[in-house]
Amino acid sequence: MVPRWRSFVGTILIIVLVVVYALAATTIATLTLANAPWWVHFLYFLLSGLLWILPAMLIIKWMAGPRPKQ
């Protein structure tokens, strides 16, 4: 795939990932953490706030293309 198209598709994928992930994380928090103590909220949002980075890294790695051979 041409690098320009790869960047375009990757950018769209990251935007979709962030929107879907934010909606899912918020829905899960709303349904399960209503009566939880503050530290459970803190841990949940800390972990869920960092977890989206893993799939985003894979998309960015794909956007960069194959590594040049040395």
Side-chain angles (χ1 to χ4, degrees):
M1 183 181 283
V2 179
R4 187 176 216 169
W5 278 104
R6 189 182 298 251
S7 295
F8 176 72
V9 171
T11 302
I12 299 299
L13 285 174
I14 289 176
I15 291 170
V16 170
L17 168 74
V18 169
V19 170
V20 170
Y21 185 81
L23 290 173
T26 304
T27 302
I28 292 169
T30 303
L31 295 175
T32 59
L33 298 178
N35 298 322
W38 69 270
W39 58 271
V40 175
H41 286 261
F42 177 76
L43 288 176
Y44 175 77
F45 285 109
L46 177 71
L47 293 174
S48 66
L50 294 174
L51 190 62
W52 70 274
I53 295 172
L54 297 174
M57 283 188 337
L58 293 174
I59 294 171
I60 292 170
K61 186 181 282 191
W62 174 79
M63 285 170 57
R67 291 185 178 180
K69 296 181 181 178
Q70 295 179 349

Short mmCIF file of all heavy atoms in Angstrom, two decimals:
data_model
loop_
_atom_site.label_atom_id
_atom_site.label_comp_id
_atom_site.label_asym_id
_atom_site.label_seq_id
_atom_site.Cartn_x
_atom_site.Cartn_y
_atom_site.Cartn_z
N MET A 1 0.84 -1.17 0.00
CA MET A 1 0.00 0.00 0.00
C MET A 1 0.89 1.24 0.00
O MET A 1 1.92 1.27 0.66
CB MET A 1 -0.91 -0.02 1.23
CG MET A 1 -1.89 1.13 1.28
SD MET A 1 -2.96 1.16 2.73
CE MET A 1 -4.13 -0.09 2.30
N VAL A 2 0.49 2.24 -0.72
CA VAL A 2 1.23 3.49 -0.81
C VAL A 2 1.25 4.14 0.58
O VAL A 2 0.24 4.15 1.28
CB VAL A 2 0.55 4.43 -1.83
CG1 VAL A 2 1.28 5.74 -1.92
CG2 VAL A 2 0.44 3.76 -3.18
N PRO A 3 2.41 4.66 1.00
CA PRO A 3 2.51 5.25 2.34
C PRO A 3 1.47 6.34 2.63
O PRO A 3 0.99 6.47 3.75
CB PRO A 3 3.92 5.82 2.38
CG PRO A 3 4.68 5.01 1.39
CD PRO A 3 3.71 4.63 0.32
N ARG A 4 1.12 7.10 1.63
CA ARG A 4 0.14 8.16 1.83
C ARG A 4 -1.23 7.58 2.21
O ARG A 4 -1.91 8.08 3.11
CB ARG A 4 0.03 8.98 0.55
CG ARG A 4 -0.82 10.18 0.69
CD ARG A 4 -0.78 10.95 -0.62
NE ARG A 4 -0.80 12.36 -0.32
CZ ARG A 4 -0.58 13.29 -1.18
NH1 ARG A 4 -0.26 12.98 -2.42
NH2 ARG A 4 -0.66 14.54 -0.84
N TRP A 5 -1.64 6.51 1.51
CA TRP A 5 -2.91 5.85 1.83
C TRP A 5 -2.83 5.13 3.17
O TRP A 5 -3.80 5.08 3.92
CB TRP A 5 -3.30 4.87 0.73
CG TRP A 5 -3.95 5.55 -0.42
CD1 TRP A 5 -3.38 5.83 -1.62
CD2 TRP A 5 -5.27 6.09 -0.46
NE1 TRP A 5 -4.28 6.49 -2.42
CE2 TRP A 5 -5.45 6.66 -1.72
CE3 TRP A 5 -6.31 6.13 0.45
CZ2 TRP A 5 -6.64 7.27 -2.10
CZ3 TRP A 5 -7.49 6.73 0.07
CH2 TRP A 5 -7.65 7.29 -1.18
N ARG A 6 -1.68 4.57 3.45
CA ARG A 6 -1.50 3.88 4.73
C ARG A 6 -1.66 4.86 5.89
O ARG A 6 -2.31 4.55 6.89
CB ARG A 6 -0.11 3.23 4.76
CG ARG A 6 0.12 2.33 5.93
CD ARG A 6 1.54 1.80 5.90
NE ARG A 6 1.80 1.00 4.73
CZ ARG A 6 1.96 -0.31 4.75
NH1 ARG A 6 1.89 -0.96 5.89
NH2 ARG A 6 2.20 -0.98 3.66
N SER A 7 -1.13 6.05 5.74
CA SER A 7 -1.28 7.08 6.78
C SER A 7 -2.73 7.52 6.91
O SER A 7 -3.24 7.72 8.02
CB SER A 7 -0.41 8.29 6.46
OG SER A 7 0.94 7.95 6.51
N PHE A 8 -3.42 7.69 5.79
CA PHE A 8 -4.81 8.10 5.82
C PHE A 8 -5.68 7.05 6.51
O PHE A 8 -6.47 7.36 7.40
CB PHE A 8 -5.31 8.35 4.39
CG PHE A 8 -6.77 8.69 4.33
CD1 PHE A 8 -7.24 9.91 4.77
CD2 PHE A 8 -7.68 7.78 3.83
CE1 PHE A 8 -8.58 10.22 4.71
CE2 PHE A 8 -9.02 8.07 3.78
CZ PHE A 8 -9.48 9.30 4.22
N VAL A 9 -5.52 5.79 6.10
CA VAL A 9 -6.31 4.71 6.69
C VAL A 9 -5.97 4.56 8.18
O VAL A 9 -6.86 4.38 9.01
CB VAL A 9 -6.07 3.38 5.93
CG1 VAL A 9 -6.70 2.20 6.66
CG2 VAL A 9 -6.60 3.48 4.52
N GLY A 10 -4.71 4.65 8.53
CA GLY A 10 -4.30 4.55 9.93
C GLY A 10 -4.88 5.67 10.78
O GLY A 10 -5.31 5.44 11.92
N THR A 11 -4.92 6.87 10.24
CA THR A 11 -5.49 8.00 10.97
C THR A 11 -6.98 7.78 11.22
O THR A 11 -7.47 8.00 12.34
CB THR A 11 -5.27 9.31 10.19
OG1 THR A 11 -3.86 9.49 9.99
CG2 THR A 11 -5.85 10.49 10.94
N ILE A 12 -7.69 7.33 10.21
CA ILE A 12 -9.12 7.04 10.37
C ILE A 12 -9.32 5.93 11.40
O ILE A 12 -10.20 6.01 12.27
CB ILE A 12 -9.75 6.66 9.02
CG1 ILE A 12 -9.64 7.80 8.03
CG2 ILE A 12 -11.20 6.22 9.20
CD1 ILE A 12 -10.33 9.07 8.44
N LEU A 13 -8.50 4.89 11.35
CA LEU A 13 -8.60 3.79 12.31
C LEU A 13 -8.35 4.25 13.74
O LEU A 13 -9.05 3.83 14.67
CB LEU A 13 -7.62 2.67 11.96
CG LEU A 13 -8.00 1.79 10.78
CD1 LEU A 13 -6.86 0.82 10.47
CD2 LEU A 13 -9.28 1.04 11.06
N ILE A 14 -7.39 5.12 13.94
CA ILE A 14 -7.10 5.63 15.30
C ILE A 14 -8.27 6.47 15.81
O ILE A 14 -8.65 6.36 16.98
CB ILE A 14 -5.77 6.40 15.32
CG1 ILE A 14 -4.61 5.42 15.17
CG2 ILE A 14 -5.63 7.19 16.61
CD1 ILE A 14 -3.25 6.05 15.08
N ILE A 15 -8.84 7.29 14.94
CA ILE A 15 -9.99 8.10 15.37
C ILE A 15 -11.16 7.20 15.75
O ILE A 15 -11.79 7.41 16.80
CB ILE A 15 -10.38 9.09 14.25
CG1 ILE A 15 -9.30 10.15 14.09
CG2 ILE A 15 -11.74 9.74 14.54
CD1 ILE A 15 -9.47 11.03 12.88
N VAL A 16 -11.44 6.19 14.94
CA VAL A 16 -12.53 5.26 15.25
C VAL A 16 -12.21 4.50 16.54
O VAL A 16 -13.09 4.33 17.40
CB VAL A 16 -12.76 4.29 14.07
CG1 VAL A 16 -13.70 3.15 14.46
CG2 VAL A 16 -13.30 5.04 12.87
N LEU A 17 -10.98 4.07 16.71
CA LEU A 17 -10.58 3.36 17.93
C LEU A 17 -10.82 4.21 19.16
O LEU A 17 -11.41 3.74 20.14
CB LEU A 17 -9.09 2.98 17.85
CG LEU A 17 -8.46 2.49 19.17
CD1 LEU A 17 -8.95 1.10 19.49
CD2 LEU A 17 -6.96 2.55 19.10
N VAL A 18 -10.40 5.46 19.13
CA VAL A 18 -10.55 6.34 20.30
C VAL A 18 -12.02 6.58 20.62
O VAL A 18 -12.43 6.52 21.79
CB VAL A 18 -9.78 7.67 20.08
CG1 VAL A 18 -10.13 8.67 21.14
CG2 VAL A 18 -8.29 7.40 20.06
N VAL A 19 -12.83 6.84 19.61
CA VAL A 19 -14.25 7.10 19.85
C VAL A 19 -14.95 5.86 20.41
O VAL A 19 -15.66 5.94 21.43
CB VAL A 19 -14.93 7.59 18.56
CG1 VAL A 19 -16.44 7.63 18.72
CG2 VAL A 19 -14.41 8.96 18.17
N VAL A 20 -14.74 4.72 19.78
CA VAL A 20 -15.38 3.48 20.24
C VAL A 20 -14.88 3.09 21.62
O VAL A 20 -15.66 2.71 22.50
CB VAL A 20 -15.16 2.34 19.22
CG1 VAL A 20 -15.60 1.00 19.77
CG2 VAL A 20 -15.89 2.65 17.93
N TYR A 21 -13.60 3.22 21.85
CA TYR A 21 -13.03 2.86 23.14
C TYR A 21 -13.55 3.77 24.25
O TYR A 21 -13.88 3.32 25.34
CB TYR A 21 -11.50 2.92 23.08
CG TYR A 21 -10.86 2.44 24.35
CD1 TYR A 21 -10.71 1.08 24.59
CD2 TYR A 21 -10.43 3.32 25.33
CE1 TYR A 21 -10.13 0.62 25.76
CE2 TYR A 21 -9.87 2.88 26.49
CZ TYR A 21 -9.72 1.53 26.71
OH TYR A 21 -9.16 1.09 27.87
N ALA A 22 -13.64 5.06 23.97
CA ALA A 22 -14.15 6.00 24.97
C ALA A 22 -15.60 5.70 25.31
O ALA A 22 -15.99 5.72 26.50
CB ALA A 22 -14.00 7.43 24.47
N LEU A 23 -16.41 5.42 24.31
CA LEU A 23 -17.81 5.08 24.57
C LEU A 23 -17.93 3.78 25.36
O LEU A 23 -18.73 3.69 26.30
CB LEU A 23 -18.58 4.97 23.25
CG LEU A 23 -18.81 6.29 22.52
CD1 LEU A 23 -19.43 6.02 21.15
CD2 LEU A 23 -19.69 7.21 23.33
N ALA A 24 -17.14 2.78 25.01
CA ALA A 24 -17.19 1.51 25.72
C ALA A 24 -16.70 1.66 27.17
O ALA A 24 -17.33 1.14 28.10
CB ALA A 24 -16.35 0.46 24.99
N ALA A 25 -15.61 2.37 27.37
CA ALA A 25 -15.08 2.55 28.73
C ALA A 25 -16.04 3.33 29.60
O ALA A 25 -16.23 3.01 30.79
CB ALA A 25 -13.72 3.25 28.66
N THR A 26 -16.67 4.34 29.03
CA THR A 26 -17.63 5.13 29.80
C THR A 26 -18.87 4.31 30.13
O THR A 26 -19.40 4.39 31.24
CB THR A 26 -18.03 6.40 29.01
OG1 THR A 26 -16.84 7.12 28.71
CG2 THR A 26 -18.96 7.27 29.81
N THR A 27 -19.34 3.52 29.18
CA THR A 27 -20.51 2.67 29.42
C THR A 27 -20.23 1.65 30.51
O THR A 27 -21.06 1.44 31.41
CB THR A 27 -20.94 1.96 28.13
OG1 THR A 27 -21.20 2.95 27.13
CG2 THR A 27 -22.17 1.11 28.34
N ILE A 28 -19.08 1.01 30.44
CA ILE A 28 -18.71 0.03 31.46
C ILE A 28 -18.62 0.69 32.83
O ILE A 28 -19.11 0.16 33.83
CB ILE A 28 -17.40 -0.68 31.08
CG1 ILE A 28 -17.62 -1.57 29.86
CG2 ILE A 28 -16.85 -1.49 32.25
CD1 ILE A 28 -16.35 -2.10 29.25
N ALA A 29 -18.01 1.86 32.88
CA ALA A 29 -17.88 2.58 34.15
C ALA A 29 -19.25 2.96 34.71
O ALA A 29 -19.50 2.83 35.91
CB ALA A 29 -17.02 3.82 33.97
N THR A 30 -20.13 3.42 33.85
CA THR A 30 -21.46 3.82 34.30
C THR A 30 -22.25 2.64 34.84
O THR A 30 -22.96 2.76 35.85
CB THR A 30 -22.23 4.47 33.13
OG1 THR A 30 -21.47 5.56 32.64
CG2 THR A 30 -23.59 4.96 33.57
N LEU A 31 -22.13 1.50 34.18
CA LEU A 31 -22.91 0.33 34.58
C LEU A 31 -22.35 -0.40 35.79
O LEU A 31 -23.11 -1.03 36.53
CB LEU A 31 -23.02 -0.65 33.41
CG LEU A 31 -23.81 -0.16 32.19
CD1 LEU A 31 -23.73 -1.17 31.07
CD2 LEU A 31 -25.24 0.15 32.56
N THR A 32 -21.06 -0.32 36.01
CA THR A 32 -20.45 -1.15 37.06
C THR A 32 -19.90 -0.38 38.25
O THR A 32 -19.75 -0.96 39.32
CB THR A 32 -19.31 -2.00 36.48
OG1 THR A 32 -18.32 -1.14 35.92
CG2 THR A 32 -19.81 -2.95 35.41
N LEU A 33 -19.60 0.89 38.10
CA LEU A 33 -18.91 1.61 39.17
C LEU A 33 -19.80 2.60 39.92
O LEU A 33 -19.28 3.49 40.59
CB LEU A 33 -17.70 2.37 38.61
CG LEU A 33 -16.61 1.52 37.97
CD1 LEU A 33 -15.52 2.41 37.42
CD2 LEU A 33 -16.05 0.53 38.94
N ALA A 34 -21.09 2.46 39.81
CA ALA A 34 -21.99 3.46 40.40
C ALA A 34 -21.79 3.62 41.90
O ALA A 34 -21.74 4.74 42.41
CB ALA A 34 -23.43 3.09 40.09
N ASN A 35 -21.64 2.54 42.62
CA ASN A 35 -21.53 2.61 44.09
C ASN A 35 -20.13 2.25 44.59
O ASN A 35 -19.96 1.96 45.77
CB ASN A 35 -22.56 1.68 44.73
CG ASN A 35 -23.97 2.12 44.39
OD1 ASN A 35 -24.24 3.30 44.32
ND2 ASN A 35 -24.84 1.15 44.15
N ALA A 36 -19.16 2.26 43.71
CA ALA A 36 -17.80 1.88 44.10
C ALA A 36 -17.11 3.05 44.80
O ALA A 36 -17.42 4.21 44.58
CB ALA A 36 -17.01 1.48 42.86
N PRO A 37 -16.13 2.73 45.65
CA PRO A 37 -15.38 3.80 46.33
C PRO A 37 -14.50 4.56 45.33
O PRO A 37 -14.26 4.13 44.21
CB PRO A 37 -14.52 3.06 47.35
CG PRO A 37 -14.63 1.62 47.04
CD PRO A 37 -15.76 1.41 46.12
N TRP A 38 -13.98 5.70 45.79
CA TRP A 38 -13.21 6.58 44.91
C TRP A 38 -11.98 5.91 44.35
O TRP A 38 -11.60 6.15 43.21
CB TRP A 38 -12.83 7.87 45.64
CG TRP A 38 -11.82 7.66 46.73
CD1 TRP A 38 -12.07 7.40 48.03
CD2 TRP A 38 -10.39 7.67 46.58
NE1 TRP A 38 -10.89 7.24 48.72
CE2 TRP A 38 -9.85 7.41 47.85
CE3 TRP A 38 -9.54 7.88 45.51
CZ2 TRP A 38 -8.48 7.34 48.06
CZ3 TRP A 38 -8.17 7.81 45.72
CH2 TRP A 38 -7.66 7.55 47.00
N TRP A 39 -11.33 5.05 45.12
CA TRP A 39 -10.09 4.44 44.65
C TRP A 39 -10.35 3.43 43.53
O TRP A 39 -9.50 3.21 42.68
CB TRP A 39 -9.29 3.83 45.80
CG TRP A 39 -10.04 2.78 46.58
CD1 TRP A 39 -10.83 2.97 47.66
CD2 TRP A 39 -10.04 1.38 46.30
NE1 TRP A 39 -11.35 1.77 48.09
CE2 TRP A 39 -10.87 0.77 47.27
CE3 TRP A 39 -9.41 0.58 45.35
CZ2 TRP A 39 -11.10 -0.60 47.29
CZ3 TRP A 39 -9.64 -0.79 45.39
CH2 TRP A 39 -10.48 -1.35 46.34
N VAL A 40 -11.53 2.81 43.51
CA VAL A 40 -11.88 1.91 42.41
C VAL A 40 -12.08 2.72 41.14
O VAL A 40 -11.62 2.32 40.06
CB VAL A 40 -13.13 1.08 42.76
CG1 VAL A 40 -13.57 0.24 41.57
CG2 VAL A 40 -12.89 0.21 43.98
N HIS A 41 -12.74 3.85 41.26
CA HIS A 41 -12.89 4.76 40.11
C HIS A 41 -11.53 5.19 39.60
O HIS A 41 -11.28 5.21 38.39
CB HIS A 41 -13.69 6.00 40.50
CG HIS A 41 -15.15 5.77 40.66
ND1 HIS A 41 -16.05 6.07 39.68
CD2 HIS A 41 -15.85 5.26 41.70
CE1 HIS A 41 -17.26 5.77 40.10
NE2 HIS A 41 -17.16 5.27 41.33
N PHE A 42 -10.65 5.56 40.53
CA PHE A 42 -9.31 6.02 40.15
C PHE A 42 -8.55 4.93 39.39
O PHE A 42 -7.98 5.19 38.32
CB PHE A 42 -8.53 6.43 41.40
CG PHE A 42 -7.13 6.85 41.11
CD1 PHE A 42 -6.87 8.10 40.56
CD2 PHE A 42 -6.06 6.01 41.39
CE1 PHE A 42 -5.57 8.49 40.29
CE2 PHE A 42 -4.77 6.39 41.12
CZ PHE A 42 -4.52 7.64 40.57
N LEU A 43 -8.55 3.71 39.93
CA LEU A 43 -7.84 2.61 39.26
C LEU A 43 -8.45 2.28 37.90
O LEU A 43 -7.72 2.04 36.92
CB LEU A 43 -7.82 1.37 40.15
CG LEU A 43 -6.93 1.43 41.37
CD1 LEU A 43 -7.09 0.16 42.21
CD2 LEU A 43 -5.48 1.60 40.96
N TYR A 44 -9.78 2.26 37.86
CA TYR A 44 -10.43 1.95 36.58
C TYR A 44 -10.06 2.97 35.51
O TYR A 44 -9.68 2.61 34.40
CB TYR A 44 -11.95 1.89 36.75
CG TYR A 44 -12.65 1.70 35.44
CD1 TYR A 44 -12.70 0.45 34.83
CD2 TYR A 44 -13.22 2.77 34.75
CE1 TYR A 44 -13.31 0.27 33.61
CE2 TYR A 44 -13.83 2.60 33.53
CZ TYR A 44 -13.88 1.34 32.97
OH TYR A 44 -14.47 1.17 31.74
N PHE A 45 -10.19 4.25 35.84
CA PHE A 45 -9.91 5.27 34.83
C PHE A 45 -8.42 5.39 34.52
O PHE A 45 -8.05 5.75 33.41
CB PHE A 45 -10.52 6.61 35.24
CG PHE A 45 -12.01 6.63 35.06
CD1 PHE A 45 -12.86 6.62 36.15
CD2 PHE A 45 -12.56 6.62 33.79
CE1 PHE A 45 -14.22 6.62 35.98
CE2 PHE A 45 -13.94 6.62 33.60
CZ PHE A 45 -14.77 6.63 34.71
N LEU A 46 -7.57 5.07 35.47
CA LEU A 46 -6.13 5.03 35.20
C LEU A 46 -5.81 3.93 34.18
O LEU A 46 -5.14 4.17 33.17
CB LEU A 46 -5.34 4.82 36.49
CG LEU A 46 -3.83 4.70 36.32
CD1 LEU A 46 -3.25 6.05 35.95
CD2 LEU A 46 -3.20 4.18 37.59
N LEU A 47 -6.31 2.73 34.45
CA LEU A 47 -6.03 1.60 33.55
C LEU A 47 -6.73 1.76 32.20
O LEU A 47 -6.12 1.52 31.15
CB LEU A 47 -6.44 0.29 34.21
CG LEU A 47 -5.61 -0.11 35.42
CD1 LEU A 47 -6.19 -1.36 36.07
CD2 LEU A 47 -4.17 -0.31 35.05
N SER A 48 -7.99 2.16 32.23
CA SER A 48 -8.69 2.30 30.95
C SER A 48 -8.16 3.49 30.15
O SER A 48 -8.21 3.48 28.92
CB SER A 48 -10.20 2.44 31.17
OG SER A 48 -10.51 3.63 31.84
N GLY A 49 -7.62 4.48 30.83
CA GLY A 49 -7.02 5.60 30.13
C GLY A 49 -5.71 5.26 29.45
O GLY A 49 -5.31 5.90 28.49
N LEU A 50 -5.04 4.24 29.93
CA LEU A 50 -3.77 3.82 29.34
C LEU A 50 -3.92 2.65 28.37
O LEU A 50 -3.06 2.46 27.51
CB LEU A 50 -2.78 3.44 30.44
CG LEU A 50 -2.33 4.57 31.35
CD1 LEU A 50 -1.46 4.02 32.48
CD2 LEU A 50 -1.58 5.63 30.57
N LEU A 51 -4.98 1.88 28.51
CA LEU A 51 -5.13 0.65 27.74
C LEU A 51 -5.31 0.89 26.24
O LEU A 51 -4.89 0.06 25.43
CB LEU A 51 -6.30 -0.16 28.29
CG LEU A 51 -6.46 -1.58 27.77
CD1 LEU A 51 -5.23 -2.40 28.13
CD2 LEU A 51 -7.69 -2.21 28.36
N TRP A 52 -5.89 2.00 25.84
CA TRP A 52 -6.12 2.26 24.42
C TRP A 52 -4.82 2.47 23.66
O TRP A 52 -4.78 2.37 22.42
CB TRP A 52 -7.03 3.47 24.21
CG TRP A 52 -6.37 4.77 24.58
CD1 TRP A 52 -6.31 5.34 25.80
CD2 TRP A 52 -5.65 5.63 23.70
NE1 TRP A 52 -5.62 6.51 25.76
CE2 TRP A 52 -5.19 6.72 24.47
CE3 TRP A 52 -5.35 5.59 22.34
CZ2 TRP A 52 -4.45 7.75 23.92
CZ3 TRP A 52 -4.61 6.63 21.80
CH2 TRP A 52 -4.17 7.69 22.59
N ILE A 53 -3.74 2.72 24.39
CA ILE A 53 -2.46 2.98 23.74
C ILE A 53 -1.93 1.74 23.02
O ILE A 53 -1.30 1.85 21.96
CB ILE A 53 -1.43 3.49 24.77
CG1 ILE A 53 -1.89 4.84 25.31
CG2 ILE A 53 -0.04 3.59 24.19
CD1 ILE A 53 -1.06 5.37 26.46
N LEU A 54 -2.21 0.55 23.55
CA LEU A 54 -1.69 -0.68 22.94
C LEU A 54 -2.20 -0.89 21.51
O LEU A 54 -1.39 -1.09 20.59
CB LEU A 54 -2.02 -1.89 23.82
CG LEU A 54 -1.36 -1.86 25.21
CD1 LEU A 54 -1.87 -3.03 26.04
CD2 LEU A 54 0.14 -1.89 25.08
N PRO A 55 -3.52 -0.86 21.26
CA PRO A 55 -3.93 -0.99 19.85
C PRO A 55 -3.51 0.19 18.99
O PRO A 55 -3.22 0.02 17.80
CB PRO A 55 -5.46 -1.12 19.93
CG PRO A 55 -5.85 -0.72 21.28
CD PRO A 55 -4.66 -0.85 22.16
N ALA A 56 -3.44 1.38 19.57
CA ALA A 56 -2.99 2.54 18.80
C ALA A 56 -1.53 2.36 18.37
O ALA A 56 -1.16 2.75 17.25
CB ALA A 56 -3.15 3.82 19.60
N MET A 57 -0.71 1.77 19.23
CA MET A 57 0.69 1.53 18.87
C MET A 57 0.79 0.56 17.69
O MET A 57 1.63 0.73 16.81
CB MET A 57 1.47 0.97 20.06
CG MET A 57 1.83 2.00 21.07
SD MET A 57 2.93 1.47 22.41
CE MET A 57 2.75 -0.28 22.50
N LEU A 58 -0.06 -0.45 17.69
CA LEU A 58 -0.05 -1.41 16.58
C LEU A 58 -0.45 -0.73 15.27
O LEU A 58 0.14 -1.00 14.22
CB LEU A 58 -0.98 -2.58 16.88
CG LEU A 58 -0.55 -3.48 18.02
CD1 LEU A 58 -1.62 -4.51 18.31
CD2 LEU A 58 0.78 -4.15 17.72
N ILE A 59 -1.44 0.14 15.33
CA ILE A 59 -1.86 0.87 14.13
C ILE A 59 -0.74 1.79 13.65
O ILE A 59 -0.44 1.86 12.45
CB ILE A 59 -3.15 1.66 14.39
CG1 ILE A 59 -4.31 0.70 14.66
CG2 ILE A 59 -3.49 2.58 13.21
CD1 ILE A 59 -5.58 1.38 15.15
N ILE A 60 -0.08 2.47 14.57
CA ILE A 60 1.01 3.37 14.19
C ILE A 60 2.18 2.59 13.61
O ILE A 60 2.81 3.02 12.63
CB ILE A 60 1.44 4.22 15.40
CG1 ILE A 60 0.33 5.20 15.75
CG2 ILE A 60 2.75 4.96 15.12
CD1 ILE A 60 0.52 5.92 17.06
N LYS A 61 2.46 1.42 14.18
CA LYS A 61 3.53 0.58 13.64
C LYS A 61 3.19 0.14 12.21
O LYS A 61 4.04 0.14 11.33
CB LYS A 61 3.74 -0.64 14.53
CG LYS A 61 4.92 -1.49 14.13
CD LYS A 61 5.07 -2.68 15.03
CE LYS A 61 5.70 -2.24 16.32
NZ LYS A 61 6.11 -3.39 17.16
N TRP A 62 1.92 -0.20 11.98
CA TRP A 62 1.48 -0.58 10.64
C TRP A 62 1.60 0.61 9.68
O TRP A 62 1.99 0.47 8.54
CB TRP A 62 0.05 -1.09 10.69
CG TRP A 62 -0.51 -1.37 9.34
CD1 TRP A 62 -0.29 -2.46 8.56
CD2 TRP A 62 -1.39 -0.52 8.59
NE1 TRP A 62 -0.97 -2.35 7.38
CE2 TRP A 62 -1.66 -1.16 7.37
CE3 TRP A 62 -1.97 0.72 8.85
CZ2 TRP A 62 -2.48 -0.60 6.41
CZ3 TRP A 62 -2.79 1.27 7.89
CH2 TRP A 62 -3.04 0.61 6.69
N MET A 63 1.25 1.81 10.17
CA MET A 63 1.32 3.01 9.34
C MET A 63 2.76 3.31 8.91
O MET A 63 2.99 3.83 7.81
CB MET A 63 0.77 4.23 10.09
CG MET A 63 -0.72 4.26 10.22
SD MET A 63 -1.32 5.53 11.35
CE MET A 63 -0.64 7.01 10.67
N ALA A 64 3.71 2.98 9.75
CA ALA A 64 5.12 3.25 9.44
C ALA A 64 5.63 2.37 8.32
O ALA A 64 6.61 2.71 7.66
CB ALA A 64 5.99 3.07 10.69
N GLY A 65 4.98 1.25 8.08
CA GLY A 65 5.38 0.36 7.00
C GLY A 65 6.46 -0.60 7.46
O GLY A 65 6.91 -0.58 8.60
N PRO A 66 6.90 -1.45 6.53
CA PRO A 66 7.95 -2.40 6.89
C PRO A 66 9.28 -1.72 7.15
O PRO A 66 9.56 -0.66 6.60
CB PRO A 66 8.02 -3.31 5.66
CG PRO A 66 7.44 -2.53 4.56
CD PRO A 66 6.47 -1.56 5.16
N ARG A 67 10.05 -2.33 8.00
CA ARG A 67 11.37 -1.79 8.31
C ARG A 67 12.30 -1.96 7.11
O ARG A 67 12.29 -2.99 6.45
CB ARG A 67 11.99 -2.51 9.49
CG ARG A 67 11.31 -2.23 10.78
CD ARG A 67 12.05 -2.89 11.89
NE ARG A 67 11.40 -2.59 13.16
CZ ARG A 67 11.83 -3.04 14.31
NH1 ARG A 67 12.90 -3.81 14.37
NH2 ARG A 67 11.20 -2.72 15.41
N PRO A 68 13.13 -0.95 6.84
CA PRO A 68 14.09 -1.10 5.74
C PRO A 68 15.15 -2.13 6.11
O PRO A 68 15.59 -2.21 7.26
CB PRO A 68 14.69 0.29 5.58
CG PRO A 68 14.41 0.99 6.87
CD PRO A 68 13.19 0.35 7.47
N LYS A 69 15.55 -2.92 5.15
CA LYS A 69 16.57 -3.94 5.38
C LYS A 69 17.94 -3.31 5.37
O LYS A 69 18.24 -2.43 4.57
CB LYS A 69 16.47 -5.03 4.32
CG LYS A 69 15.17 -5.78 4.38
CD LYS A 69 15.11 -6.85 3.34
CE LYS A 69 13.76 -7.54 3.47
NZ LYS A 69 13.60 -8.57 2.45
N GLN A 70 18.78 -3.76 6.28
CA GLN A 70 20.13 -3.18 6.38
C GLN A 70 21.15 -4.04 5.69
O GLN A 70 21.11 -5.17 5.58
CB GLN A 70 20.52 -3.03 7.85
CG GLN A 70 19.64 -2.05 8.54
CD GLN A 70 20.01 -1.90 10.02
OE1 GLN A 70 20.79 -2.69 10.56
NE2 GLN A 70 19.44 -0.92 10.67
#
